[in-house]
Structure formats: C-alpha cells, structure tokens
Amino acid sequence: MENITKISDRIKQFIDYKKITINKFSDSVGTSNSYFNKLIKNGTTIGSDKIENILHAYPEINPIWLVTGKGEMINGYNQ
C-alpha cells in the first residue's frame, strides 16, 4: 500500500530539511506564524496562494513533490 502524505506533512519535511523553525518559514513566505503552525498540527488544507508563495521563496523545492508527493523534494537545484 502506498504511503500517502498530506501537503502539510511535506511542508514540515521541507522545514526540517532546511533546519529552520516554522516561524522562520512562515515569515519567509509572508504568512502569519500561526498559519503554518495550525496547518502542520491539524493537517488542514492549504490555499494555492500559499503554495505559490512557498515556491517563490524556495525555488529549490520541487513543485510536483510539494503538491502530489511524487518525485524528489529538491529539484537538483544548486543551493
């Protein structure tokens, strides 16, 4: 059986990968600190505007992975 994760789980995985706090991540994508804390804690849905902000702030993240969970987290982007 395939392990299906939510976007909120993948966002937390990326935050852990970057070794930053949820608050720092929230600031970097222009969102209130409580938004991503609630998202990760409750596994709620995320708006497309927030996904767009994440992809602008972190161009190394693979958008297909972020949305679907398929592929690699990082786009082979030189950091």
Side-chain angles (χ1 to χ4, degrees), residues 1-2 17 39 42-43 45 47 50 52-54 64-65 72 76 78:
M1 183 173 198
E2 185 180 346
Y17 167 80
L39 178 90
N42 300 327
T45 59
K50 304 296 189 279
E52 204 172 314
N53 291 349
I54 292 168
I64 294 171
W65 173 82
E72 298 296 320
N78 292 329

Side-chain angles (χ1 to χ4, degrees), residues 26-27 30-37:
S26 297
D27 289 343
T31 306
S32 71
N33 290 339
S34 63
Y35 180 84
F36 282 106
N37 281 313

Side-chain angles (χ1 to χ4, degrees), residues 11-64:
I11 289 170
K12 178 65 170 113
Q13 184 180 346
F14 182 73
I15 289 169
D16 292 346
Y17 167 80
K18 293 295 280 186
K19 298 179 181 164
I20 59 176
T21 64
I22 294 171
N23 290 343
K24 183 173 181 181
F25 180 81
S26 297
D27 289 343
S28 69
V29 298
T31 306
S32 71
N33 290 339
S34 63
Y35 180 84
F36 282 106
N37 281 313
K38 288 178 187 175
L39 178 90
I40 290 168
K41 181 180 177 187
N42 300 327
T44 56
T45 59
I46 182 172
S48 59
D49 59 327
K50 304 296 189 279
I51 292 172
E52 204 172 314
N53 291 349
I54 292 168
L55 295 174
H56 283 291
Y58 298 97
E60 69 268 31
I61 196 168
N62 178 348
I64 294 171

